[in-house]
Short mmCIF file of all heavy atoms in Angstrom, two decimals:
data_model
loop_
_atom_site.label_atom_id
_atom_site.label_comp_id
_atom_site.label_asym_id
_atom_site.label_seq_id
_atom_site.Cartn_x
_atom_site.Cartn_y
_atom_site.Cartn_z
N ASN A 417 20.43 47.74 -46.47
CA ASN A 417 21.21 48.88 -46.98
C ASN A 417 21.41 48.69 -48.48
O ASN A 417 22.24 47.90 -48.91
CB ASN A 417 22.56 48.90 -46.24
CG ASN A 417 23.45 50.04 -46.69
OD1 ASN A 417 23.22 50.66 -47.73
ND2 ASN A 417 24.50 50.30 -45.92
N THR A 419 22.64 50.58 -50.73
CA THR A 419 23.98 50.95 -51.23
C THR A 419 24.94 49.77 -51.09
O THR A 419 25.70 49.46 -52.02
CB THR A 419 24.54 52.15 -50.43
OG1 THR A 419 23.53 53.14 -50.36
CG2 THR A 419 25.79 52.71 -51.08
N LEU A 420 24.88 49.11 -49.95
CA LEU A 420 25.75 47.95 -49.75
C LEU A 420 25.42 46.83 -50.74
O LEU A 420 26.31 46.22 -51.32
CB LEU A 420 25.61 47.45 -48.31
CG LEU A 420 26.44 46.21 -47.93
CD1 LEU A 420 27.92 46.52 -48.05
CD2 LEU A 420 26.11 45.76 -46.51
N THR A 423 26.96 47.35 -54.15
CA THR A 423 28.40 47.56 -54.23
C THR A 423 29.11 46.26 -54.59
O THR A 423 29.00 45.26 -53.89
CB THR A 423 28.93 48.07 -52.87
OG1 THR A 423 28.19 49.23 -52.51
CG2 THR A 423 30.42 48.39 -52.96
C1 NAG B 52 25.46 51.26 -46.29
O1 NAG B 52 26.52 50.63 -46.99
C2 NAG B 52 27.50 51.56 -47.45
C3 NAG B 52 28.47 50.78 -48.34
O2 NAG B 52 29.08 49.74 -47.63
C4 NAG B 52 28.17 52.22 -46.25
O3 NAG B 52 29.11 53.15 -46.70
C5 NAG B 52 27.10 52.92 -45.41
O4 NAG B 52 27.68 53.41 -44.24
C6 NAG B 52 26.00 51.94 -45.05
N1 NAG B 52 24.91 52.68 -44.41
C7 NAG B 52 24.42 52.34 -43.22
C8 NAG B 52 23.27 53.14 -42.73
O5 NAG B 52 24.86 51.38 -42.58
#
Side-chain angles (χ1 to χ4, degrees):
N417 180 345
T419 312
L420 179 62
T423 305

